[in-house]
Amino acid sequence: MPFSSLTDPVDIARAQAALDAAWDKIRPGLDEGQDLERERQRLAYIVANLVMIAIDDEDLTRRALEKFRAHA
């Protein structure tokens, strides 16, 4: 579970919101042949690692998108 390291309900909610927002931007650009669940899981781990350093939800989403795309 990517968010299992988060204990604060606010952080968990922020992480989930950022994951959903980032996934909405990433998903249309992925090929049907890709393992979509694996890619979403990878994004979730990225979000979980960034949640403590992000300024707000938008910053968290932006950072997650950048990191996901940089390691595609």
Side-chain angles (χ1 to χ4, degrees):
M1 296 294 301
F3 299 156
S4 63
S5 63
L6 303 176
T7 56
D8 184 341
V10 173
D11 289 337
I12 295 169
R14 285 181 63 215
Q16 187 62 56
L19 172 62
D20 292 342
W23 185 248
D24 286 346
K25 293 180 181 181
I26 290 168
R27 171 58 188 100
L30 297 176
D31 295 329
E32 288 301 318
Q34 290 181 276
D35 184 344
L36 299 180
E37 185 57 36
R38 191 186 91 217
E39 293 301 306
R40 185 174 169 85
Q41 188 81 358
R42 183 168 73 91
L43 178 61
Y45 278 103
I46 291 169
V47 169
N49 286 322
L50 294 172
V51 73
M52 294 305 188
I53 63 169
I55 297 169
D56 56 25
D57 294 358
E58 288 180 19
D59 183 48
L60 180 55
T61 301
R62 181 188 54 78
R63 288 173 185 256
L65 285 168
E66 288 174 0
K67 188 158 188 141
F68 183 92
R69 289 175 176 153
H71 295 85

